[in-house]
């Protein structure tokens, strides 16, 4: 896990870390559309002061899944930034199935 701090082999609570955009799967991408004006405003803000609020990702078996932060994610893509600051929660395959319903 990127940036993990372990205590006796267990990670406690979410971890904040920069994750490469190409390592984050966005399984609900085709079911949602972003507001272009909001993405543009975020691009301007991120370019000026950086990302202020990390996106939430779920890590299951070393794979990152993003279900929120769609506008921030697209803004990073359009700015051609290689990474995005994430709040990473570890989960099980059952947790992932719950998010996909």
């Amino acid at each position: 896990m990127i940036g993990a701090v372990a205590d006796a082999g267990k990670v406690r609570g979410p971890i904040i870390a920069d994750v490469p955009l190409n390592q984050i799967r966005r399984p609900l991408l085709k079911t949602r559309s972003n507001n272009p004006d909001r993405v543009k405003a975020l691009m301007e803000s991120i370019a000026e002061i950086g990302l202020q609020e990390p996106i939430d990702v779920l890590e299951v078996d070393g794979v990152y899944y993003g279900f929120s932060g769609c506008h921030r994610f697209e803004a990073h893509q359009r700015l051609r930034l290689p990474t995005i600051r994430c709040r990473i929660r570890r989960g099980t395959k059952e947790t992932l199935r719950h998010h996909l319903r």
Side-chain angles (χ1 to χ4, degrees), residues 5-79:
V5 177
D7 177 21
K10 295 188 178 188
V11 176
R12 297 180 181 185
I15 295 162
I16 306 296
D18 293 327
V19 177
L21 291 174
N22 64 4
Q23 289 185 14
I24 301 172
R25 295 184 184 181
R26 311 273 311 166
L28 302 179
L29 185 63
K30 292 180 172 70
T31 63
R32 299 179 179 171
S33 61
N34 291 335
N35 177 319
D37 293 331
R38 188 168 174 203
V39 172
K40 183 178 178 188
L42 279 166
M43 288 173 65
E44 292 169 2
S45 174
I46 291 166
E48 185 177 327
I49 62 173
L51 182 65
Q52 298 302 296
E53 180 66 27
I55 66 168
D56 293 315
V57 299
L58 180 66
E59 184 266 321
V60 178
D61 296 335
V63 180
Y64 299 98
Y65 296 89
F67 297 97
S68 64
C70 301
H71 291 87
R72 288 170 283 167
F73 188 86
E74 183 177 336
H76 273 69
Q77 284 180 315
R78 293 181 61 191
L79 288 166

Side-chain angles (χ1 to χ4, degrees), residues 60-98:
V60 178
D61 296 335
V63 180
Y64 299 98
Y65 296 89
F67 297 97
S68 64
C70 301
H71 291 87
R72 288 170 283 167
F73 188 86
E74 183 177 336
H76 273 69
Q77 284 180 315
R78 293 181 61 191
L79 288 166
R80 299 184 187 276
L81 298 173
T83 62
I84 188 166
R85 178 66 44 121
C86 297
R87 182 178 302 106
I88 304 166
R89 285 186 308 117
R90 293 194 73 191
T92 64
K93 289 180 182 177
E94 182 58 33
T95 306
L96 177 60
R97 280 191 287 274
H98 174 75

